[in-house]
Amino acid sequence: MSTANTMRAISQDVLGGPEVLKEVELEIPKPGPSEVLVRVHAAGLNPTDWKHRANGNFLGRPPFVLGWDVSGVVEAVGLGVTVHKPGDEVFGMLPYPYGVGAHAEYVTAPARAFARKPAEVDHVQAGAVPLAALTAWQALVDTADVRAGQRVLIHAAAGGVGHLAVQIAKARGAYVIGTASSGKHEFLRGLGADELVDYRETDFAETVRDVDVVLDTIGGDYRSRSLRTLRPGGLLVSILPSGSPELAEEAAGLGVRAVELLVEADQAGMSAIAGLVAAGTLRATVAEVFPLAEAAKAHALGDTGRTVGKLVLQVR
């Protein structure tokens, strides 16, 4: 049970499966200059959470508290903060990858990592949005500058990033092609997808052509195969950066481009996303909600890779 100066958090001491996660009591952090302290109401989960839990990735060896998605209420502000005040409802992504720690009752982060939470949605909905929506926004808008009439291919279109990317691309006026198993096609048509490919039955690389932009959320050989769906001058954006120049070199040989993107905390992007959410143009599909204490169950479900949309921890 947390006290006035402590909080509940989900931590781990070793790398491994969901069973390594445990509820602990930690001291409530204090906001430094240009930071805010947020009382977390809901925190989304993303595949990067289970990957870091199992392998450490950017974070190295534990202990650490995972989580980058936050929706909550500003509890206190640090020196120099003018964009938020105590009592403001905010949502955003903690700076990726090292600003981790959302799976707790409180978190500190740069004030400009957050935007005002749209009043039209609750904290669970808002908490499902940030990392996945920012990834899609930075890939499709900031990087690819998707425009009306362009053809956009989105892999794993029913996933956390994918289903938000479908909506963002449609909001930009694009023609959207998605890859997903047949059981998810009706869901994606409801989001506005124009054309769907069942990857289990059809090789998209043989049937999809003249694409302006590909959003790769899978990696592996999907990246090379996707290059052949692009029209001359087209662009592939992979959200699984490997740091290898080989993809860009292969793309150049085919007369197309390929880039690798790592999502960044971005208040301007979050504000744009908030506008879409407020307008009803963008909505996260929440597959399941778990209390903070059941984070391990959420991770176990996430590990299956079969969820549609997002998993969320309800903290408060």
Side-chain angles (χ1 to χ4, degrees):
M1 180 69 69
S2 56
T3 68
N5 299 314
T6 62
M7 65 177 183
R8 294 181 302 131
I10 301 299
S11 185
Q12 62 186 94
D13 294 322
V14 296
L15 300 175
E19 70 280 356
V20 305
L21 299 173
K22 60 182 181 179
E23 185 175 312
V24 299
E25 189 173 311
L26 300 175
E27 185 175 349
I28 296 173
K30 295 180 180 179
S34 301
E35 290 187 333
V36 292
L37 173 67
V38 175
R39 181 191 295 261
V40 181
H41 283 237
L45 296 108
N46 298 280
T48 191
D49 287 297
W50 23 99
K51 290 175 183 177
H52 277 86
R53 181 209 71 225
N55 302 316
N57 289 7
F58 293 111
L59 300 179
R61 305 297 301 182
F64 45 67
V65 175
L66 291 171
W68 286 269
D69 281 339
V70 173
S71 183
V73 177
V74 175
E75 183 81 2
V77 301
L79 180 68
V81 173
T82 61
V83 293
H84 302 300
K85 64 183 185 303
D88 286 349
E89 293 191 326
V90 296
F91 75 143
M93 186 191 80
L94 305 183
Y96 189 87
Y98 302 113
V100 70
H103 297 165
E105 290 183 304
Y106 293 89
V107 71
T108 56
R112 293 178 186 272
F114 297 101
R116 291 294 184 92
K117 181 186 77 68
E120 292 79 4
V121 296
D122 61 17
H123 285 291
V124 167
Q125 266 290 322
V129 169
L131 187 150
L134 270 180
T135 301
W137 181 269
Q138 290 171 11
L140 297 177
V141 181
D142 294 344
T143 303
D145 189 25
V146 167
R147 299 182 299 278
Q150 289 189 316
R151 290 166 57 84
V152 177
L153 171 61
I154 298 171
H155 288 305
V161 172
H163 86 290
L164 295 173
V166 168
Q167 297 172 70
I168 290 171
K170 290 303 298 181
R172 303 281 289 185
Y175 179 92
V176 175
I177 307 163
T179 62
S181 60
S182 59
K184 299 172 182 176
H185 286 192
E186 183 177 354
F187 163 70
L188 289 166
R189 289 190 186 97
L191 298 181
D194 299 287
E195 186 179 332
L196 295 162
V197 178
D198 182 355
Y199 66 90
R200 293 174 176 170
E201 301 292 334
T202 304
D203 182 357
F204 72 88
E206 297 295 328
T207 59
V208 179
R209 288 291 182 269
D210 297 322
V211 170
D212 294 282
V213 178
V214 176
L215 178 59
D216 165 46
T217 66
I218 298 176
D221 69 346
Y222 265 65
R223 308 203 306 178
S224 293
R225 293 164 61 208
S226 295
L227 293 177
R228 289 159 176 78
T229 70
L230 288 166
R231 67 171 76 236
L235 174 66
L236 179 144
V237 184
S238 176
I239 65 169
L240 301 166
S242 66
S244 169
E246 294 176 359
L247 179 65
E249 292 169 358
E250 183 180 0
L254 294 169
V256 298
R257 294 186 300 134
V259 296
E260 299 179 324
L261 178 142
L262 194 65
V263 65
E264 301 175 62
D266 173 23
Q267 188 182 49
M270 282 307 308
S271 295
I273 289 164
L276 293 179
V277 172
T281 306
L282 181 67
R283 183 175 178 84
T285 293
V286 177
E288 196 160 344
V289 181
F290 296 84
L292 181 65
E294 295 182 6
K297 291 183 179 179
H299 274 246
L301 181 56
D303 274 345
T304 68
R306 300 186 182 280
T307 57
V308 175
K310 292 292 297 292
L311 303 173
V312 179
L313 296 179
Q314 189 160 22
V315 181
R316 190 173 302 275

